[in-house]
């Protein structure tokens, strides 16, 4: 391929052309689908996955529910912090988007004028995926899978180099895991306090039948007397 010859033997650029080349041969409707999925769809799916995991945790109401909910709260916070950390990194590296320096790319999203390294989308989704994994492995594996798909989409769309995506994965993972102990120390007591508060305990744990207020006039079940109480009654 002539374009590859012009780009030299840089594997990052070669992989960019290989993946983005799939868009050139794909149907128009598929490219439009990938554009939506890579730009908005997978981010929305990650948010819904976090909400689903929270609903599952509070519905089970296990003893460690407060710890799990604290980890879930940390996931979006970590994603936001990782994006903030990325701001000076992008300015320092100042790497142009791949379509600026390389011809022949099929760019599916226009208007990208900021720098390329590292990918915000890859950073966000991987931070959320790793945060989910800390809270719940089953949901976390699904979240990490969505993050990997997001990274592929960004290269497919022609807006990022593969190393931009890898850098985003590394940044999101590092921020989530390195700050997780501090986040857990701060958020877990907060979630336990929420669990003890009657009006907002539903955030952490589904209200049990014993916690439901008794309607005036309704019959309440009486616990059987133990042997000592029966002896005293006799």
């Amino acid at each position: 391929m002539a374009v590859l010859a012009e780009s030299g033997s840089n594997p990052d650029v070669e992989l960019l052309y290989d993946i983005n080349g799939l868009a050139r041969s794909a149907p128009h409707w598929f490219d439009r689908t990938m554009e939506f999925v890579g730009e908005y769809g997978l981010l929305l799916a990650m948010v819904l996955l976090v909400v689903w995991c929270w609903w599952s945790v509070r519905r089970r109401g296990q003893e460690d529910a407060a710890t799990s909910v604290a980890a879930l709260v940390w996931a979006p916070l970590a994603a936001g912090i990782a994006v903030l950390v990325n701001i000076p990194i992008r300015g320092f590296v100042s790497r142009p988007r791949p379509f600026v320096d390389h011809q022949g790319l099929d760019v599916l999203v226009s208007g990208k004028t900021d720098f390329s390294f590292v990918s915000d989308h890859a950073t966000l989704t991987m931070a959320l995926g790793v945060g989910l994994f800390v809270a719940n492995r089953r949901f976390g594996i699904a979240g990490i899978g969505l993050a990997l798909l997001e990274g592929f989409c960004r290269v497919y769309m022609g807006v990022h180099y593969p190393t931009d995506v890898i850098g985003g994965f590394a940044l999101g993972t590092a921020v989530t895991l390195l700050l997780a102990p501090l986040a857990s120390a701060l958020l877990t007591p907060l979630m336990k306090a929420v669990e003890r508060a009657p009006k907002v305990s539903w955030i952490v744990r589904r209200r049990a039948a014993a916690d439901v207020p008794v309607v005036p006039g309704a019959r309440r079940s009486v616990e059987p007397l133990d042997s000592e109480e029966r002896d005293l009654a006799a």
Side-chain angles (χ1 to χ4, degrees):
M1 186 181 296
V3 177
L4 286 179
E6 291 175 4
S7 65
S9 57
N10 186 339
D12 193 23
V13 178
E14 292 182 2
L15 187 57
L16 165 67
Y17 275 110
D18 287 341
I19 295 176
N20 180 256
L22 299 173
R24 189 176 300 279
S25 58
H28 179 76
W29 64 266
F30 185 81
D31 283 349
R32 298 287 72 81
T33 301
M34 290 292 284
E35 175 187 349
F36 174 80
V37 169
E39 195 74 7
Y40 309 107
L42 287 172
L43 289 176
L44 177 60
M46 290 296 300
V47 172
L48 294 177
L49 191 63
V50 171
V51 173
W52 185 9
C53 184
W54 164 75
W55 184 265
S56 176
V57 167
R58 68 173 291 277
R59 181 173 56 83
R60 289 198 306 269
Q62 297 177 345
E63 293 298 325
D64 61 344
T67 303
S68 298
V69 173
L72 285 173
V73 172
W74 169 237
L77 291 177
I81 293 173
V83 171
L84 291 177
V85 171
N86 188 30
I87 294 175
I89 294 176
R90 297 183 84 161
F92 177 76
V93 177
S94 300
R95 186 184 199 182
R97 295 279 182 170
F99 53 79
V100 175
D101 293 334
H102 303 284
Q103 302 297 319
L105 292 173
D106 191 4
V107 183
L108 303 185
V109 180
S110 60
K112 299 290 184 180
T113 58
D114 55 344
F115 294 122
S116 185
F117 185 91
V118 296
S119 168
D120 279 340
H121 282 72
T123 302
L124 276 169
T125 52
M126 186 56 75
L128 287 170
V130 173
L132 270 173
F133 188 82
V134 173
N136 184 289
R137 289 190 177 183
R138 180 167 60 91
F139 283 93
I141 291 174
I144 291 173
L146 290 178
L148 295 174
L149 180 58
E150 178 68 69
F152 176 83
C153 287
R154 303 308 289 176
V155 180
Y156 181 95
M157 293 159 61
V159 295
H160 281 292
Y161 294 95
T163 48
D164 297 338
V165 170
I166 294 172
F169 289 163
L171 178 60
T173 301
V175 169
T176 303
L177 294 183
L178 291 178
L179 297 181
L182 176 61
S184 178
L186 296 175
L187 293 174
T188 300
L190 177 61
M191 290 301 106
K192 288 183 178 179
V194 170
E195 186 179 16
R196 292 192 296 268
K199 292 185 178 180
V200 293
S201 61
W202 60 269
I203 296 176
V204 175
R205 183 192 299 269
R206 184 179 62 176
R207 179 177 293 182
D211 298 331
V212 179
V214 177
V215 179
R219 298 183 59 184
R220 297 182 58 180
S221 60
V222 179
E223 295 293 333
L225 297 174
D226 57 29
S227 59
E228 183 179 355
E229 290 174 336
R230 284 197 298 267
D231 292 340
L232 290 175

